[in-house]
């Protein structure tokens, strides 16, 4: 049983979206960093070209001034707007260029040179419109490129993450099949693919764990079966010897305990056989309602059987009888009368009016040697429902358990009875033991 509170405590997201978001974020950071580097490098390169051009023009202006010709290029003599830093360099007898921020934010480019009469020639130009247009086009291209990188990275993340997510989902589905007892399923074969990655390592580890667990379970089953088989002979001898004792209360107690021990040994052997997954159903066509009515009447004539809808089914009568009698025995031992049995199509329901099934059984299903809470466990070894569930599995049927509560009653309100429901399959199991799975 899953805890709804724990399931809702976190936000479930797919690995493809996480990977896509990570790639998109990294791509955006790289694109922004490269855009800034390219933008600054292009701006510095254009400024250097403009300063070189201004320097060439001021040299030409110097030669023209010293030869007495008219100045060109907008060169001024002793311009009062010359920046102080540039004027300091010129005062040292050096030709220099200088870049300052203009009023509009565009860079201003200055070039100055001292002449022989002590005056200063200066040239003041700005960032040309062509350079501004080039920078705008470059910035636009960088923005478009950054967006393309982000979307391309996201698409790549979705593609890679989707492939990884599909492999993980296949692995999870195969692992769930193994958990349900399908021991022939292998996670590595389920995920497929020719590329080796961590998913393959995980799949092989799960397969190795499943194989080791299956071997251990099989070894335990064999030990249990061997012990039970070895106990049959002495228990049978003990039961035979008890029959020879003289009549009396002690004899009855010995016979009762010997019979209980024999029943336990037989039940343990049956559980071991069912765990081995080698049992096969011997199929016959029967009328389900008539069959149930006869078996229940032979078991206890006081139990009422109601056939709502008769149906002909193909199943194993011996195993079906075993399931039915175990459910009736459990209801009689742990529940309260009246016990009611109903047959509707392929569905058999057995209800009592006792305290209900333990919550552990409702959550995890029958477990051997666990009879549940004290209010529904006074006797037995917990094998009756385990055998019923195992025989139902051989029949390809589904056995469910629930408690009956008053309408609208809270969870802590005592149950008004327990209901075991056996759902027989529409198609009988084959002679290989395979059968269609009913939806849960």
């Amino acid at each position: 049983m899953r805890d709804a509170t724990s399931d809702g405590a976190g936000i479930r997201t797919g690995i493809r979206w996480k990977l896509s978001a990570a790639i998109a974020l990294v791509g955006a950071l790289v694109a922004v960093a490269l855009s800034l580097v390219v933008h600054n490098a292009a701006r510095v390169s254009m400024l250097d070209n403009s300063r070189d051009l201004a320097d060439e023009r001021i040299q030409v202006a110097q030669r023209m001034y010293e030869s007495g010709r008219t100045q060109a290029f907008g060169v001024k003599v002793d311009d009062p707007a010359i920046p102080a830093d540039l004027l300091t360099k010129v005062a040292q007898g050096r030709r220099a260029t200088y870049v300052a921020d203009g009023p509009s934010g565009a860079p201003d480019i200055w070039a100055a040179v001292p002449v022989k009469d002590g005056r200063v020639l200066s040239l003041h130009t700005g960032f040309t419109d062509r350079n501004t247009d080039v920078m705008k086009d470059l910035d636009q291209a960088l923005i478009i490129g950054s967006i393309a990188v982000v979307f391309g990275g996201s698409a790549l993340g979705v593609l890679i993450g989707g492939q990884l997510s599909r492999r993980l989902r296949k692995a999870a589905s195969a692992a769930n099949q193994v958990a349900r007892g399908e021991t022939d399923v292998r996670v590595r074969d389920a995920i497929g693919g020719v590329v080796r990655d961590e998913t393959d390592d995980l799949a092989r580890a799960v397969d190795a764990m499943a194989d080791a667990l299956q071997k251990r379970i099989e070894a335990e089953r064999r030990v249990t079966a061997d012990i039970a088989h070895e106990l049959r002979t002495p228990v049978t001898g003990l039961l035979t010897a008890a029959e020879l004792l003289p009549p009396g209360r002690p004899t009855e107690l010995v016979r009762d305990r010997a019979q209980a021990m024999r029943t336990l040994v037989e039940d343990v052997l049956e559980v071991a056989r069912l765990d081995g997954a080698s049992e096969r159903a011997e199929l016959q066509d029967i009328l389900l309602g008539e069959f149930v009515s006869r078996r229940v009447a032979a078991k206890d004539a006081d139990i009422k059987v109601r056939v709502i809808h008769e149906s002909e089914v193909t199943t194993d009568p011996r195993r079906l009888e075993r399931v039915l009698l175990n459910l009736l025995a459990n209801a009689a031992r742990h529940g309260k009368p009246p016990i009611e049995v109903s047959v509707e199509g392929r569905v058999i329901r057995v209800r009592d009016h006792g305290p209900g099934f333990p919550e552990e059984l409702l959550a995890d299903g029958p477990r051997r040697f666990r009879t549940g809470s004290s209010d529904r466990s006074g006797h037995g070894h917990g094998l009756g429902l385990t055998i019923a569930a195992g025989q139902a599995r051989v029949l390809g049927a589904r056995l469910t358990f629930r408690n009956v509560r008053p309408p609208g009653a809270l969870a802590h309100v005592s149950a008004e009875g327990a209901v075991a429901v056996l759902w027989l399959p529409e198609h009988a199991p084959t002679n290989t033991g395979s059968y269609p799975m009913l939806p849960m």
Side-chain angles (χ1 to χ4, degrees):
M1 177 181 291
R2 297 189 303 173
D3 186 356
T5 303
S6 61
D7 285 350
I11 300 176
R12 179 180 176 84
T13 56
I15 191 173
R16 67 167 64 185
W17 304 117
K18 293 179 182 178
L19 187 59
S20 175
I23 293 179
L25 179 60
V26 173
L29 294 176
V30 172
V32 169
L34 289 178
S35 297
L36 292 176
V37 171
V38 171
H39 174 86
N40 290 331
R43 187 174 185 275
V44 170
S45 176
M46 290 182 180
L47 286 175
D48 289 342
N49 291 335
S50 298
R51 294 176 70 168
D52 292 341
L53 179 60
D55 184 61
E56 291 176 1
R57 287 180 178 180
I58 200 66
Q59 292 183 57
V60 173
Q62 180 184 12
R63 291 193 294 270
M64 293 175 64
Y65 179 84
E66 292 177 348
S67 63
R69 286 180 290 176
T70 304
Q71 294 297 316
F73 311 122
V75 175
K76 296 181 180 181
V77 180
D78 293 334
D79 188 353
I82 297 177
D85 293 339
L86 178 61
L87 193 60
T88 301
K89 296 290 185 182
V90 174
Q92 298 173 0
R94 299 164 56 185
R95 186 181 74 252
T97 58
Y98 183 80
V99 177
D101 292 332
S104 62
D108 286 340
I109 296 145
W110 289 83
V113 62
V115 291
K116 294 180 179 180
D117 58 3
R119 294 188 173 186
V120 176
L121 299 180
S122 63
L123 174 64
H124 177 209
T125 60
F127 215 46
T128 63
D129 293 339
R130 180 176 179 276
N131 288 339
T132 302
D133 293 340
V134 170
M135 288 300 299
K136 288 182 179 179
D137 292 341
L138 177 62
D139 290 342
Q140 184 177 6
L142 291 175
I143 292 174
I144 295 175
S146 299
I147 295 175
V149 167
V150 171
F151 280 99
S154 300
L156 181 62
V158 171
L159 181 63
I160 298 176
Q163 182 179 5
L164 180 60
S165 179
R166 283 192 297 272
R167 287 167 64 85
L168 290 176
R169 284 199 301 269
K170 289 179 180 179
S173 177
N176 287 330
Q177 289 180 284
V178 174
R180 290 195 296 265
E182 300 180 32
T183 56
D184 58 335
V185 176
R186 288 295 174 267
V187 179
R188 180 61 188 86
D189 297 336
I191 63 176
V194 295
V195 179
R196 291 285 304 275
D197 56 15
E198 289 79 2
T199 310
D200 296 83
D201 297 336
L202 175 62
R204 287 186 171 85
V206 173
D207 289 339
M209 180 184 65
D211 290 338
L213 183 60
Q214 181 62 28
K215 290 179 180 178
R216 180 174 179 179
I217 293 175
E218 180 64 20
E220 292 179 353
R221 185 193 67 81
R222 289 178 180 176
V223 170
T224 302
D226 291 342
I227 293 175
H229 188 271
E230 292 298 325
L231 285 174
R232 292 181 73 179
T233 301
V235 169
T236 302
L238 178 61
L239 190 61
T240 303
E243 296 293 335
L244 302 177
L245 295 176
R249 180 60 180 167
T251 299
E252 293 178 1
L253 292 175
V254 172
R255 290 176 181 174
D256 178 70
R257 292 299 88 195
Q259 183 61 45
M261 185 178 295
R262 180 178 182 177
T263 302
L264 174 60
V265 171
E266 295 295 336
D267 287 347
V268 170
L269 279 173
E270 186 170 359
V271 169
R273 288 194 300 268
L274 292 172
D275 286 345
S278 59
E279 296 288 286
R280 296 292 180 263
E282 299 178 3
L283 304 177
Q284 297 181 20
D285 294 333
I286 61 172
L287 292 176
L288 187 59
E290 179 183 352
F291 176 86
V292 172
S293 299
R294 289 182 177 178
R295 296 305 186 272
V296 172
K299 173 69 174 177
D300 190 343
D302 294 332
I303 298 178
K304 180 181 178 182
V305 179
R306 187 162 58 104
V307 180
I308 301 173
H309 175 65
E310 182 64 278
S311 176
E312 183 177 1
V313 298
T314 302
T315 188
D316 187 329
R318 182 183 65 84
R319 298 183 187 276
L320 178 59
E321 180 180 7
R322 180 68 160 147
V323 175
L324 179 61
L325 295 183
N326 277 21
L327 295 180
L328 292 176
N330 182 80
R333 180 180 298 117
H334 304 302
K336 294 180 181 179
I339 299 175
E340 301 170 353
V341 179
S342 65
V343 180
E344 183 176 1
R346 298 176 178 273
V347 180
I348 303 173
R349 292 179 175 86
V350 178
R351 177 186 177 179
D352 63 62
H353 291 74
F357 291 113
E359 292 300 326
E360 294 82 0
L361 186 145
L362 297 178
D364 304 327
R367 293 291 184 270
R368 65 195 66 176
F369 300 108
R370 189 181 72 181
T371 56
S373 57
S374 58
D375 58 352
R376 193 180 171 90
S377 66
H379 307 279
H381 303 277
L383 296 179
L385 293 183
T386 302
I387 292 174
Q391 295 290 9
R393 185 170 58 251
V394 177
L395 295 175
R398 179 162 59 97
L399 183 59
T400 62
F401 306 93
R402 66 181 178 87
N403 290 334
V404 180
R405 300 184 186 276
L410 299 178
H412 66 273
V413 177
S414 300
E416 295 181 342
V419 180
V421 185
L422 180 67
W423 311 72
L424 292 176
E426 182 178 357
H427 302 285
T430 65
N431 56 3
T432 61
S434 62
Y435 54 86
M437 296 297 293
L438 294 174
M440 298 298 290

